[in-house]
């Protein structure tokens, strides 16, 4: 019977829209799958590939989700998210940046990614150009290509401490530009763009009210050396066209909860609300209550996690700089090191593959973040100092051999 049905509906009859031939993915997930498969075969794998904190979600946040379930929060919530949570996000923004954002402009999203999905869908179409960082989070380009828009990479350079250059970004803007994506602190480089550069970029963009801006600030609290994050929300002159992406995944070690928030200009807010109604209805209710506990409860776990990341950051950089042919700038934010490996004689992706297969160390080749990622690999230091030391010992053995 099944076979007959299959013959009645031959697969070759299916034709998806062309966007699906262009959609990409995040290779970090493929590396994670391979690392997990190797570990299942009994190999000793150290995972410096995936971009998620190695900490558990703090207990009081987990408890809040359990309580929400016990209290009967089992149904749909408003598509925009529960009001107390949007109020808490608004208070958090005010507390950290001194900026007023109405809860009516805040969307609770199923993860940070969904904000980029929504923003790129809103502005991407054939003929439109969208600027995005290269190397950068791979989903920007993938989604831009999905919509048929033209991706315009903005180079992120080591000699510029992996900050973006306002002049270079502005020079890439044309009459076709519809959206500019920026990300600081940045994945995969750990770069943090200084305020002077952001001021300059905002000044230029303020003259183009027809261009939307998406600022991916998911690592805003993961910044080192006493630096302060500069949010694009601090610039009133662009608020009418600014989308800010943020969320709980990294700050509170909540990647699996799928909890993000974003700020939208009033003109776009109802559109993203309708997209939510059409696509995901709302974020699951217990996660939203957990998100509320995260923002309103004690923040010591965040501080503890950042102290641990800071310690590992210094270890990873020191050890990498001792390797033959490797040089590594000190990352100023997030939890990634992006060493330059061009003097090792290896190309980045074959090196990352060989390190995993031969030495059991998972990293990601720079080209998985864009063409300009060649010559680099990304190491996520979301792992213990002991494992980081062991991983770099193995990389040293490999490169010396
Ligand atoms: N933006 C950047 C720059 C990221 O690195 C990530 C995750 O790695 C995200 C967004 C997505 O976060 P989420 O897991 O909340 O979807």
């Amino acid at each position: 019977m099944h076979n007959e049905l299959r013959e009645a509906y031959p697969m070759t009859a299916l034709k998806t829209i062309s966007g699906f031939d262009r959609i990409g993915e995040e290779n970090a997930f493929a590396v994670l799958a391979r690392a997990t498969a190797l570990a299942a075969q009994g190999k000793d794998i150290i995972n410096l590939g995936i971009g998620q904190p190695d900490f558990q979600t703090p207990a009081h946040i987990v408890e809040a989700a359990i309580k929400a379930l016990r209290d009967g929060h089992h149904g749909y919530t408003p598509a925009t998210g529960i009001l107390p949570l949007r109020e808490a996000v608004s208070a958090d923004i005010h507390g950290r940046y001194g900026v007023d954002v109405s809860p009516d402009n805040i969307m609770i999203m199923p993860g940070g990614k969904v904000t980029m999905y929504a923003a790129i869908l809103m502005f991407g179409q054939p003929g439109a150009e969208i600027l995005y960082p290269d190397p950068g989070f791979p989903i920007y380009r993938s989604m831009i290509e999905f919509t048929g828009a033209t991706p315009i990479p903005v180079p992120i350079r080591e000699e510029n401490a992996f900050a973006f250059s306002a002049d270079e970004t502005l020079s890439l803007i044309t009459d076709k530009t519809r959206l500019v994506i920026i990300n600081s602190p940045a994945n995969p480089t750990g770069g943090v763009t200084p305020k002077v550069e952001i001021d300059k970029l905002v000044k230029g963009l303020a003259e183009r009210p027809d261009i939307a801006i998406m600022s991916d600030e998911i690592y805003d609290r993961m910044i080192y050396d006493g630096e302060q994050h500069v949010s694009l929300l601090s610039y009133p002159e662009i608020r009418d066209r600014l989308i800010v992406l943020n969320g709980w995944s990294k700050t509170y070690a909540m990647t699996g909860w799928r909890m993000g928030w974003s700020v939208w200009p009033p003109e776009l807010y109802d559109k993203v609300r309708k997209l939510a109604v059409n696509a995901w209805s709302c974020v699951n209710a217990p996660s939203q209550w957990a998100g509320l506990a995260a923002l309103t409860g004690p923040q010591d776990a965040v501080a503890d996690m950042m102290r641990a990341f800071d310690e590992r950051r210094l270890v990873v950089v020191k050890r990498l700089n001792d390797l033959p042919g490797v040089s590594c700038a000190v990352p100023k934010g997030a939890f990634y090191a992006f060493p330059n490996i061009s003097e090792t004689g290896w190309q980045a992706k074959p090196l990352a593959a060989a390190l995993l297969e031969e030495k059991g160390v998972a990293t990601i080749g720079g080209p998985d973040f864009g063409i300009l990622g060649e010559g680099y690999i990304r190491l996520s230091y979301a792992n213990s100092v002991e494992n980081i030391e062991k991983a770099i010992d193995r990389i040293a053995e490999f490169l010396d051999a």
Side-chain angles (χ1 to χ4, degrees):
M1 183 60 184
H2 261 108
N3 279 343
E4 275 166 37
L5 271 182
R6 220 173 263 157
E7 272 156 34
Y9 296 98
M11 291 299 281
T12 49
L14 295 177
K15 185 134 181 49
T16 57
I17 62 158
S18 53
F20 280 94
D21 297 332
R22 295 188 299 265
I23 199 162
E25 62 182 318
E26 223 190 310
N27 204 33
F29 283 95
V31 171
L32 179 64
R34 181 69 188 143
T36 310
L38 288 170
Q41 290 166 18
K43 301 244 167 66
D44 176 18
I45 302 295
I46 303 173
N47 197 340
L48 306 184
I50 193 75
Q52 68 180 339
D54 55 322
F55 298 95
Q56 294 282 289
T57 304
H60 70 279
I61 301 176
V62 176
E63 286 308 318
I66 295 168
K67 180 171 183 311
L69 285 171
R70 292 223 167 93
D71 289 351
H73 293 291
H74 302 171
Y76 294 123
T77 77
T80 52
I82 56 173
L83 182 59
L85 183 55
R86 287 184 287 116
E87 286 171 343
V89 172
S90 168
D92 178 57
I93 292 171
H94 186 84
R96 289 190 298 119
Y97 306 132
V99 173
D100 288 324
V101 175
S102 162
D104 293 342
N105 293 134
I106 294 166
M107 271 297 289
I108 305 303
M109 301 291 253
K113 251 182 198 171
V114 186
T115 295
M116 68 185 75
Y117 172 81
I120 295 168
L121 268 191
M122 269 187 206
F123 294 99
Q125 63 172 345
E129 293 179 354
I130 300 183
L131 273 54
Y132 72 101
D134 181 339
F137 191 55
I139 301 304
Y140 305 142
R141 186 182 171 103
S142 166
M143 269 307 297
I144 297 167
E145 290 192 317
F146 176 71
T147 66
T150 307
I152 308 290
V154 176
I156 304 294
R157 301 178 201 283
E158 184 181 358
E159 56 267 33
N160 201 21
F162 294 122
F164 59 77
S165 144
D167 286 337
E168 199 164 10
T169 309
L170 293 169
S171 75
L172 293 167
I173 288 180
T174 70
D175 287 347
K176 295 181 185 156
T177 309
R178 290 288 160 270
L179 176 67
V180 173
I181 299 174
I182 63 167
N183 173 222
S184 173
N187 180 7
T189 58
V192 171
T193 300
K195 183 168 183 302
V196 281
E197 215 57 33
I198 299 181
D199 287 349
K200 209 198 263 182
L201 181 73
V202 168
K203 194 155 176 263
L205 289 174
E207 285 164 23
R208 287 292 303 267
D210 55 322
I211 299 177
I213 305 157
M214 190 193 81
S215 179
D216 182 342
E217 302 186 8
I218 198 136
Y219 297 103
D220 66 341
R221 290 177 70 181
M222 306 197 128
I223 203 156
Y224 304 98
D225 303 326
E227 293 283 321
Q228 286 299 311
H229 174 66
V230 182
S231 174
L232 262 71
L233 287 168
S234 319
Y235 298 85
E237 59 271 45
I238 51 160
R239 279 286 293 282
D240 61 347
R241 70 207 75 153
L242 173 67
I243 302 161
V244 171
L245 178 162
N246 210 316
W248 285 260
S249 295
K250 317 284 172 173
T251 309
Y252 296 101
M254 289 177 73
T255 50
W257 296 69
R258 309 313 302 139
M259 280 287 290
W261 58 261
S262 37
V263 174
W264 296 78
E267 217 182 315
L268 302 180
Y269 190 74
D270 209 46
K271 295 186 169 149
V272 67
R273 181 190 65 76
K274 284 186 190 153
L275 182 66
V277 169
N278 279 267
W280 60 88
S281 296
C282 63
V283 176
N284 78 81
S287 283
Q288 293 193 51
W289 290 98
L292 180 61
L295 290 179
T296 55
Q299 302 295 303
D300 353 351
V302 179
D304 290 349
M305 188 164 79
M306 284 312 293
R307 258 191 299 277
F309 279 141
D310 196 9
E311 184 195 347
R312 297 156 177 193
R313 173 179 78 118
L314 302 176
V315 170
V316 91
V317 169
K318 184 180 176 312
R319 291 291 319 271
L320 283 169
N321 277 317
D322 288 341
L323 295 178
V326 177
S327 68
C328 184
V330 180
K332 297 187 175 139
F335 44 83
Y336 308 112
F338 203 58
N340 185 326
I341 51 91
S342 50
E343 302 289 303
T344 60
W346 281 85
Q347 296 244 295
K349 280 184 67 109
L351 176 61
L355 289 175
L356 178 56
E357 299 299 326
E358 293 180 35
K359 291 289 173 186
V361 178
T363 62
I364 314 280
D368 283 333
F369 302 96
I371 292 172
L372 291 176
E374 184 52 83
Y376 300 86
I377 58 173
R378 188 191 80 174
L379 279 73
S380 155
Y381 45 89
N383 213 319
S384 64
V385 168
E386 190 191 353
N387 277 341
I388 290 169
E389 297 266 17
K390 202 152 68 162
I392 298 180
D393 287 345
R394 292 188 196 175
I395 301 176
E397 271 168 31
F398 181 82
L399 290 176
D400 277 338

